[in-house]
Amino acid sequence: MTVTETTGESAGARTDTCAGPPQGDRRPDGADKYTISEVAALTGLSAHTLRWYERIGLMPHIDRSHTGQRRYSNRDLDWLALVGKLRLTGMPVADMVRYAEMVREGDHTYADRFELLKATREDVVARIAELQGTLAVLDRKIGFYADAGRALASERSR
């Protein structure tokens, strides 16, 4: 079972698939057994990072081949895509691990997951507003220097 699968789901219940749009060069479901080096190439994450994610519980169960090599699935790639987005939000690793644990615990954690993601969204919106203010300052400074450059060029051409 991957981290995105939950136990005890009733038939027809909504699941937290964590799936984003399929990424290129994916194999069809059922034939989706990727090595750690293939996943590293597909995701841009290092093999060290992938093993660390597994060790800390962010990706707690990765299937293994008969020789013990990790075998990732498309669902694992979907999960890694979500983790990548959560990293971009600035969510602390501890919160990402907590979120992964809640996903594994099942549907009764929906409210807690909702609250965690809602708080993260609020943080992202605040950071966007802060960056928009910073961008406005930069735009004013760029405009100032563009105007000053034109004025200097105009004086020199007289």
Side-chain angles (χ1 to χ4, degrees):
M1 176 169 54
T2 63
V3 75
T4 57
E5 296 171 329
T6 57
T7 56
E9 291 177 352
S10 59
R14 290 178 43 182
T15 59
D16 188 355
T17 61
C18 304
Q23 298 167 347
D25 299 330
R26 283 185 157 199
R27 298 178 185 138
D29 289 341
D32 58 335
K33 299 298 177 200
Y34 303 92
T35 65
I36 197 166
S37 60
E38 290 172 322
V39 172
L42 285 167
T43 63
L45 298 170
S46 69
H48 174 77
T49 298
L50 292 166
R51 287 189 294 270
W52 180 66
Y53 281 0
E54 189 175 352
R55 192 169 52 252
I56 66 171
L58 198 50
M59 294 201 68
H61 179 78
I62 301 299
D63 288 334
R64 303 277 182 144
S65 70
H66 68 284
T67 60
Q69 292 179 321
R70 289 170 176 85
R71 294 291 182 235
Y72 295 83
S73 69
N74 286 333
R75 289 188 73 136
D76 296 324
L77 294 178
D78 291 341
W79 178 255
L80 287 169
L82 175 65
V83 168
K85 295 299 182 192
L86 293 177
R87 286 179 59 218
L88 287 174
T89 70
M91 180 185 277
V93 172
D95 285 349
M96 288 187 277
V97 171
R98 194 170 107 230
Y99 179 79
E101 289 168 350
M102 288 188 285
V103 169
R104 286 190 302 276
E105 289 174 19
D107 292 352
H108 71 279
T109 64
Y110 272 14
D112 292 331
R113 286 186 256 171
F114 171 82
E115 290 301 323
L116 178 61
L117 295 175
K118 185 175 157 194
T120 300
R121 185 185 190 285
E122 290 168 1
D123 291 344
V124 169
V125 168
R127 281 192 18 240
I128 289 170
E130 184 179 27
L131 287 171
Q132 286 173 331
T134 301
L135 184 61
V137 169
L138 288 172
D139 287 343
R140 281 193 304 275
K141 285 298 198 183
I142 289 167
F144 170 80
Y145 288 113
D147 292 344
R150 283 190 291 273
L152 283 172
S154 175
E155 275 185 35
R156 288 183 187 147
S157 65
R158 289 188 208 173

